[in-house]
Amino acid sequence: MLEDKYLAYKRSAYKKIFASSLGVLLVAVFCLIFGTDIGVMEAITACIGFIKTGDFTGNNIAMQKIIVLLRMPRMCLAILAGIGLSIAGMMMQSVTRNMLVSPFTLGVSSAAAFGASICIVFGSSTIFFNDAAIIGSAFAASMCSVALVFMVAKRIGITANTIILVGIAMNYFCSALTATLQFFAEENKLAAVVQWTFGSFNRANWHGVVVISVIVLICYVAGTRLTLKWNAMASGDDETVKSLGINPEQLRTLTMILAVLVTATIISFTGVIGFVGLIAPHMARYLVGNDHSVLFPMSATLGAGLLVLADTIGKFILYPVNIPVGIVVSFVGVPIFVQLILQSRRSSL
């Protein structure tokens, strides 16, 4: 009887995941061709032709270039960033047993902002200054910050509370360093630093899409192998988890490394995009429950949809002004998050 109920629950959850994935795909295709005179099939043909020959053919070459070289990598980056940030948030919430934790609790975003700020403020006058230098600096700073968090936490004992508290401290420290740089920066460099911290897909290109897709795929595949252990972690304290033959410190460390790797890679290319890693797992729990075997893919799907929607709204709501996705996602996500809290509260009464 219980087995039948569980199988029915899994079937229902997978149907919701499929429907959500199909919805994200349809929204992405609509946003890709919105405002152009190109149809879906023509856009697909142009992409296939560019992959095969590296060139464009037909009567509407200019619009094809806009679709394939500008809009397509931007859309792919939005989907990948949504997947990566949402699964990172779900991972961290599971192993810390804290639903308010997100990838940025460990100071990943503030450290990346500090690294990018150093490169912009001090490296802009050198021959080595370019987008790759900013990306590399942001990634290196975020990884160094997390390494320092784990070094301190290991001396105290790698528990959920220890990692969260040390991460929050590092978050404030890196934010203070970034603010100090902004205070002394020249006006043009200050504008560049602030623009980077907003989070945007304006710098999207196929190179960045390839790099991020590899990291997201690695972390996603590794995560699917840990879902049963996350179920155990979320259902009891560390002593209970140990009685099941699972090392909680080892699992927590591995999960955090995966979450930090995918988060640091994404925000190095996009700038700081917050809130997705917090809200997408909550939306997924509301739809499919707490079983991580379905919560994991549902979080990825909803995160992708949230960023695609936010990026599209940012591009067109005040056209021709392009509002950064990091700003829009908070405006879109906060009402959804509050509504979820209210509905959860009503259901518990």
Side-chain angles (χ1 to χ4, degrees), residues 104-286:
F104 306 100
T105 304
L106 294 185
V108 179
S109 60
S110 57
F114 174 60
S117 300
I118 290 177
C119 186
I120 293 171
V121 173
F122 297 111
S124 58
S125 58
T126 67
I127 61 174
F128 303 104
F129 180 75
N130 51 35
D131 285 345
I134 296 176
I135 291 168
S137 181
F139 182 80
S142 58
M143 295 305 288
C144 288
S145 172
V146 173
L148 185 58
V149 168
F150 273 93
M151 286 173 60
V152 176
K154 190 172 182 179
R155 290 183 63 88
I156 306 173
I158 301 180
T159 64
N161 289 336
T162 300
I163 294 174
I164 292 172
L165 291 174
V166 178
I168 290 173
M170 186 58 63
N171 188 27
Y172 280 107
F173 179 67
C174 291
S175 296
L177 292 175
T178 303
T180 303
L181 287 177
Q182 292 176 347
F183 184 78
F184 291 104
E186 299 173 4
E187 191 170 331
N188 62 324
K189 296 178 182 178
L190 175 62
V193 170
V194 173
Q195 183 68 26
W196 193 91
T197 59
F198 284 156
S200 165
F201 300 133
N202 292 338
R203 296 181 294 272
N205 55 61
W206 285 115
H207 171 71
V209 169
V210 171
V211 173
I212 292 176
S213 62
V214 171
I215 299 300
V216 169
L217 180 61
I218 291 172
C219 293
Y220 189 90
V221 172
T224 57
R225 296 176 176 273
L226 298 174
T227 54
L228 292 178
K229 293 182 178 180
W230 290 335
N231 282 341
M233 284 287 287
S235 61
D237 56 21
D238 282 4
E239 294 303 319
T240 304
V241 174
K242 289 179 181 178
S243 68
L244 297 174
I246 300 172
N247 186 330
E249 290 190 4
Q250 189 178 65
L251 178 60
R252 193 170 285 127
T253 301
L254 175 60
T255 302
M256 289 293 189
I257 289 173
L258 291 174
V260 168
L261 176 62
V262 69
T263 302
T265 303
I266 290 169
I267 64 177
S268 297
F269 283 90
T270 65
V272 178
I273 301 176
F275 205 63
V276 179
L278 175 64
I279 186 175
H282 281 280
M283 294 168 62
R285 284 188 187 90
Y286 179 76

